[in-house]
Amino acid sequence: MKQSRLHLITAFFCLQFLMVSSTNGQSGKPAAMKLNSQEYLEYQGVNVMLAHDFYPESHQGGVGIIQNGLRVATNGDLRLEPTPGQWQPTPKVGKRITNTARQEVSVQMSFPNEELDRKGFNPIIYPDLKFSYTTRVLPAGKGFKIIVDLDKPLPDEWIGKVGFNFELFPQVLFGKSYYMDEQHGIFIRQPNGPHYTDKEGELQIVPMASGKKLTVAPESERQRMTIENLKGGDLQLIDGRGKHNNGWFVVRSLVAKGATTNAVEWLVIPNAIEGWKSAPVVQVSQVGYHPKQQKIAMIEMDAKDNNLQTVSLLRIKESGGVETVLKTQPKKWGKFLRYSYFQLNFTDVEKPGMYQVKYGSYLTEPFQISNDVYNRNVWQPAVEYFLPAQMCHMRVNERYRVWHGWCHLDDARMATVDSTLFDGYIQGPSTLTSFKPGDNVPGLNSGGWHDAGDFDLRVESQAETVQGLALAYEEFKVNYDNTTIDQKNKLVEIQVPDNKPDLLQQMEHGLLSIIGGYRSMGRLYRGIIEPTKRQYVMLGDPINLTDNVPFKMGTTSSVPEVGLPGSADDRWVYTEDNPGRELNVAACLATAARVIKGYNDTLAAQSLEIAEALWNNTKEKNVMARVEPAVELLLTTGNKIYADFLANHTKDIAENFERSGYVVGKSLAAIDNREYKEAVSAAAKKYYGKIVEQGKKTPYAVPYEPNIWGAGWGIQNFGFRQYYLHKNFPQVFPTDYMLAAMNFILGCHPGSNTASFASGVGANSITTGYGFNRADWSYIPGGIVSGTALIRPDFPELLTWPFLWQQTEYVLGGGTTDYLFLVLAADHLLNKK
């Protein structure tokens, strides 16, 4: 009897355990994904988004999965190629629709995407292929289904070409295994063959595996995921890197002939770790702090994490070990994006030394507190490495290393008219110069910096870099010299001083390009860029882009293919009629003219001459477009005409203070007009109130609205402007926001990756950057990336991956000089230099 009762009791509790195990919380319903208030599906640590983002050319759009804190898949959508690249056709995305009764998210899409095609971003178009479809995601237990319904069957000629693609992030899969039915293998670090040529003559890579069901990373609790094709036909697992260096692994199934409703139907089950929470992260400046500046460490926690612990500030002892300087409960800030934020304020700690912050098991990298914290190894890499490495028309050496050889010495040929090139370059019906299409344009094979991760020269980035360097030199008298720049022999030696200020030498290099183009063509160039896509996408040393010999039309009956000696591989120069850009360059040249005077008087005179010509000849009715050049020309020349212009437009300037206040403030001492000064000062106070309100919206105390692109460049530009606002309105603007902007760049920013956005700066920084050496998973010291991006609607991301330009690309202009200026400004103000 006792034994039977024991069996009954045991059976009862086993049944209760099974019932509880199959329910979700207190709802009593089976555990399942559900639609949340942010319009995506969610179960434990798994999120499934649909069309929150649309940036498929950089792996952000369609159906996407965040699994236990990692974005593991994206771009789930119909595509016309097995492994599409940057310029392949993408669909037009309609409005996202949620159905709470069905817990479903859907969006209607269509081909072709005429809006992108008209802008030249999708040069490959298929005008005869026009179809619409709806993509849906809906819960299926602990997983979800992806369903695609076509409005009508595909044309016969497109059968076998249109398929549903789903991209898997490679970096977190390297070395992990997969199963596809009875096939199995590992995700390899580099793409291997074999390849084949398809019926269209296109080179394709043979799939890694084909079958009905794919299991990704079965050995990993955090990443295990199954994908099952519930319709006829196979799934294919393809290595997209075999076609494009920046490709991802692709799971694909084809749309069958005659299919409409449920043309695609997949069951996807990402493993969700029960009770998963993101681990706490502590964000600090990876460089450190001046004793007198505000010091706040940010603690980022899962919004569901209620286990608040104490936080400690530790000082690393000279003899080894650490001592606890401060131990306390962190102060709650509130919720931002998907996280809860807490703060440790250790502003009162001023003792010099090396420190770390510890919260739970998380320990930050060492950082310093010192009067000299910004004096060395912070701004210098941008001048010592990044700008030299980006210099065009030069050979750049660093001891045993050659960053790149002599490049583009055959610049440049006049672009063809009525043409649209990749990357948005457009030449209208005229060259706007005396040169005909294809003519060699002299004066363009000197100076300039490669704009970004590619090798074009945009006039605005050249001009903004020159101006940024000029302003830094003017404000802080930076006579730093650690680079030899030999313009005569087009040679640069990094880490070799030549007794000339590096900032002035770099200014000179930028001006040679801008002025050379203007004096040759009688106008500014829009940009100088490679004529073929094969050249444009090239990774590595730019010496390999052209043969450095100017191509002459009509000198030979047969022209070799681009890539061979004697070919028409010279870059093209584009022009445009753009008054706003012309006035922006005028402001930059006016600034440069007064700063480089005494170092290179010829370039100083030419800079001023061109700036005044642009001011006088540019037809621009927008008053605000003329404000900055008016201020800079006034400061350079003292000419009353510019002071009168500013005074006569007091109302416009005051109403648009947010846009130009940082520039206008510099003019107050040069304009004897009480009404002007009072109106501008009143506008300054009003704008400061707005900054305070914006700063309250995030825990980082800076105006910050996350977007697909990282916000770092915009935030450091905000900090750059705050310096001038503080300098010219010291009673209104404190230094707090300027320093907060700098800390954001140096590591105090959202997300689990707390690296400094400045490569090679600080204890932890971005060392896999989107520069010309990105194929080597390398970086350029002093390059500044845009930083943490947003996977909409609420997931901050900064991946270790060299091919996401919206997160880790380096650029010129404010992307470099705003950072340089910001750090110099902090050192200047905190040490009262």
Side-chain angles (χ1 to χ4, degrees):
M1 177 73 85
K2 290 181 179 179
Q3 191 173 10
S4 298
R5 184 178 296 172
L6 179 61
H7 287 161
L8 286 171
I9 292 171
T10 302
F12 174 79
F13 279 109
C14 287
L15 179 62
Q16 291 295 310
F17 175 78
L18 290 172
M19 291 175 64
V20 171
S21 298
S22 64
T23 60
N24 183 16
Q26 298 178 352
S27 66
K29 297 179 181 179
M33 283 205 172
K34 62 180 181 180
L35 180 64
N36 68 16
S37 60
Q38 298 275 53
E39 298 188 350
Y40 60 80
L41 302 183
E42 184 174 33
Y43 173 67
Q44 299 286 352
V46 174
N47 313 136
V48 180
M49 285 80 166
L50 172 59
H52 280 81
D53 289 320
F54 186 71
Y55 203 21
E57 60 268 40
S58 197
H59 308 282
Q60 201 166 327
V63 180
I65 299 175
I66 296 169
Q67 183 181 16
N68 304 314
L70 296 171
R71 184 166 68 110
V72 297
T74 190
N75 272 1
D77 204 348
L78 289 188
R79 298 301 295 268
L80 311 184
E81 300 85 8
T83 57
Q86 182 176 348
W87 289 282
Q88 266 68 45
T90 57
K92 182 178 181 180
V93 180
K95 182 181 179 182
R96 185 175 60 255
I97 298 173
T98 58
N99 185 323
T100 53
R102 291 173 52 85
Q103 292 287 286
E104 179 183 279
V105 185
S106 64
V107 63
Q108 188 172 48
M109 305 186 184
S110 61
F111 280 97
N113 190 343
E114 296 172 347
E115 292 180 3
L116 286 180
D117 295 337
R118 281 196 299 270
K119 295 177 181 177
F121 293 111
N122 274 346
I124 303 174
I125 60 174
Y126 302 97
D128 297 330
L129 179 65
K130 295 182 180 180
F131 71 98
S132 300
Y133 60 97
T134 300
T135 300
R136 298 183 282 141
V137 294
L138 63 160
K142 295 181 180 180
F144 67 100
K145 283 186 176 182
I146 302 173
I147 297 174
V148 179
D149 303 320
L150 273 64
D151 290 359
K152 61 182 181 180
L154 290 173
D156 287 349
E157 61 269 25
W158 284 93
I159 301 302
K161 299 178 182 178
V162 178
F164 188 86
N165 288 16
F166 203 26
E167 299 180 355
L168 308 180
F169 178 47
Q171 192 266 338
V172 295
L173 291 176
F174 292 151
K176 292 186 171 63
S177 67
Y178 66 85
Y179 281 94
M180 178 78 85
D181 296 350
E182 301 303 317
Q183 305 158 72
H184 45 79
I186 62 168
F187 292 95
I188 53 178
R189 182 165 288 274
Q190 75 286 332
N192 295 336
H195 287 73
Y196 68 97
T197 302
D198 64 17
K199 295 178 182 179
E200 308 297 324
E202 288 289 323
L203 190 67
Q204 305 291 356
I205 188 167
V206 173
M208 299 160 61
S210 299
K212 299 295 183 183
K213 183 177 180 180
L214 171 67
T215 303
V216 177
E219 71 274 27
S220 170
E221 288 293 301
R222 190 176 184 186
Q223 292 177 245
R224 184 169 62 253
M225 177 168 59
T226 62
I227 302 174
E228 185 175 1
N229 187 3
L230 302 181
K231 303 294 289 184
D234 284 343
L235 294 171
Q236 292 182 325
L237 177 60
I238 311 171
D239 190 343
R241 300 170 303 156
K243 188 74 181 287
H244 309 280
N245 291 71
N246 58 359
W248 290 22
F249 295 112
V250 177
V251 185
R252 176 175 170 87
S253 71
L254 295 171
V255 175
K257 181 176 180 178
T260 53
T261 303
N262 286 30
V264 174
E265 186 176 0
W266 288 8
L267 174 63
V268 184
I269 305 178
N271 184 57
I273 298 174
E274 294 294 325
W276 183 87
K277 298 182 182 69
S278 57
V281 175
V282 182
Q283 300 150 355
V284 296
S285 165
Q286 294 291 339
V287 168
Y289 305 87
H290 189 279
K292 298 300 182 183
Q293 81 177 93
Q294 187 181 58
K295 311 173 194 71
I296 296 178
M298 206 69 61
I299 302 168
E300 180 182 276
M301 296 173 56
D302 192 298
K304 300 185 294 292
D305 190 347
N306 298 315
N307 182 27
L308 187 63
Q309 303 176 57
T310 57
V311 59
S312 301
L313 176 68
L314 310 176
R315 186 179 185 275
I316 301 172
K317 296 191 294 185
E318 292 86 340
S319 59
V322 298
E323 58 180 332
T324 301
V325 177
L326 180 64
K327 187 173 184 179
T328 184
Q329 284 286 112
K331 180 181 179 182
K332 184 174 183 178
W333 182 88
K335 191 172 184 294
F336 180 61
L337 299 176
R338 61 170 56 192
Y339 300 109
S340 293
Y341 286 87
F342 296 81
Q343 296 177 334
L344 169 67
N345 190 327
F346 57 103
T347 301
D348 292 339
V349 177
E350 297 186 0
K351 183 178 179 179
M354 300 302 299
Y355 291 81
Q356 293 174 288
V357 175
K358 189 175 190 300
Y359 179 81
S361 61
Y362 191 99
L363 184 66
T364 69
E365 289 83 6
F367 59 88
Q368 64 174 303
I369 295 178
S370 169
N371 288 319
D372 298 325
V373 63
Y374 305 119
N375 191 46
R376 191 171 181 184
N377 302 323
V378 187
W379 60 265
Q380 289 88 346
V383 178
E384 291 185 4
Y385 284 97
F386 183 70
L387 286 175
Q390 297 297 111
M391 292 174 77
C392 191
H393 307 116
M394 309 288 275
R395 175 183 166 116
V396 182
N397 301 325
E398 182 201 356
R399 307 300 186 193
Y400 308 150
R401 179 181 191 175
V402 178
W403 278 89
H404 68 75
W406 287 284
C407 63
H408 301 114
L409 298 182
D410 45 8
D411 274 346
R413 297 175 65 209
M414 194 70 232
T416 57
V417 297
D418 292 319
S419 64
T420 299
L421 196 67
F422 40 82
D423 216 17
Y425 282 89
I426 299 173
Q427 188 66 48
S430 167
T431 67
L432 303 176
T433 73
S434 61
F435 296 99
K436 298 176 181 178
D439 283 354
N440 301 99
V441 181
L444 295 174
N445 62 349
S446 294
W449 304 273
H450 300 139
D451 178 61
D454 39 41
F455 300 105
D456 59 329
L457 276 61
R458 295 174 180 263
V459 72
E460 66 270 32
S461 61
Q462 307 301 309
E464 288 167 8
T465 303
V466 167
Q467 185 182 39
L469 292 167
L471 292 172
Y473 190 85
E474 181 177 56
E475 282 294 315
F476 311 119
K477 306 299 184 289
V478 185
N479 287 308
Y480 189 82
D481 168 36
N482 205 38
T483 309
T484 291
I485 299 177
D486 180 352
Q487 290 291 349
K488 180 180 179 180
N489 294 303
K490 297 184 179 295
L491 190 64
V492 177
E493 297 286 351
I494 293 175
Q495 302 290 319
V496 179
D498 62 357
N499 297 315
K500 298 176 183 178
D502 288 348
L503 267 64
L504 293 179
Q505 288 183 292
Q506 289 291 351
M507 278 182 60
E508 179 181 57
H509 191 70
L511 289 172
L512 287 172
S513 176
I514 301 169
I515 293 173
Y518 190 94
R519 289 174 64 83
S520 181
M521 297 187 295
R523 65 181 310 111
L524 299 173
Y525 60 76
R526 167 66 188 96
I528 304 171
I529 188 172
E530 283 74 27
T532 68
K533 197 177 297 181
R534 177 63 187 270
Q535 292 170 284
Y536 179 76
V537 301
M538 193 205 80
L539 304 176
D541 192 332
I543 194 175
N544 298 303
L545 282 166
T546 75
D547 59 12
N548 278 334
V549 179
F551 177 78
K552 303 290 186 181
M553 291 194 303
T555 57
T556 178
S557 57
S558 62
V559 179
E561 182 181 349
V562 169
L564 298 175
S567 65
D569 57 10
D570 312 25
R571 287 193 296 192
W572 288 350
V573 56
Y574 283 77
T575 59
E576 65 175 351
D577 183 12
N578 188 326
R581 201 178 331 265
E582 291 173 352
L583 289 171
N584 174 258
V585 174
C588 298
L589 292 176
T591 308
R594 66 175 180 268
V595 175
I596 205 167
K597 187 176 182 180
Y599 177 79
N600 188 322
D601 289 341
T602 299
L603 287 181
Q606 291 171 345
S607 294
L608 181 56
E609 178 186 357
I610 295 171
E612 291 183 317
L614 291 171
W615 171 270
N616 292 323
N617 300 331
T618 297
K619 304 297 188 290
E620 175 58 72
K621 296 180 181 179
N622 185 342
V623 169
M624 295 310 299
R626 289 188 173 273
V627 169
E628 185 179 8
V631 171
E632 298 300 346
L633 282 165
L634 172 63
L635 296 179
T636 299
T637 68
N639 193 323
K640 189 174 180 296
I641 188 176
Y642 305 115
D644 290 344
F645 171 86
L646 294 168
N648 291 338
H649 293 93
T650 297
K651 184 174 182 294
D652 295 301
I653 291 170
E655 290 176 352
N656 292 276
F657 186 89
E658 181 175 354
R659 172 179 170 179
S660 62
Y662 77 102
V663 173
V664 169
K666 297 192 292 183
S667 71
L668 294 180
I671 297 179
D672 185 17
N673 185 303
R674 188 177 69 177
E675 180 184 350
Y676 176 76
K677 293 181 179 181
E678 290 178 350
V680 169
S681 297
K685 295 176 182 177
K686 182 178 179 180
Y687 176 46
Y688 177 67
K690 183 176 180 178
I691 289 176
V692 171
E693 292 305 310
Q694 289 176 330
K696 292 178 181 178
K697 294 179 180 180
T698 82
Y700 302 99
V702 291
Y704 173 39
E705 295 182 3
N707 207 331
I708 286 178
W709 275 77
W713 299 330
I715 287 173
Q716 65 185 19
N717 180 257
F718 165 80
F720 157 76
R721 294 178 178 215
Q722 285 295 303
Y723 169 81
Y724 280 109
L725 290 171
H726 169 73
K727 178 183 179 181
N728 295 302
F729 307 96
Q731 304 306 317
V732 179
F733 295 91
T735 61
D736 296 2
Y737 292 101
M738 183 196 84
L739 296 173
M742 180 182 63
N743 288 340
F744 189 97
I745 303 304
L746 294 177
C748 198
H749 50 70
S752 59
N753 188 343
T754 62
S756 160
F757 295 166
S759 285
V761 174
N764 175 27
S765 69
I766 296 297
T767 52
T768 303
Y770 191 99
F772 67 84
N773 57 353
R774 58 189 177 275
D776 302 319
W777 287 64
S778 190
Y779 70 103
I780 305 174
I784 317 299
V785 305
S786 61
T788 306
L790 182 69
I791 307 304
R792 291 172 175 164
D794 62 356
F795 183 70
E797 178 185 79
L798 181 55
L799 294 174
T800 301
W801 183 247
F803 300 111
L804 285 181
W805 54 78
Q806 72 268 34
Q807 295 184 17
T808 59
E809 184 172 17
Y810 303 129
V811 297
L812 282 191
T816 300
T817 56
D818 284 349
Y819 167 79
L820 166 72
F821 189 101
L822 189 54
V823 178
L824 285 166
D827 186 45
H828 174 79
L829 292 173
L830 290 167
N831 288 311
K832 303 297 182 183
K833 292 183 176 179

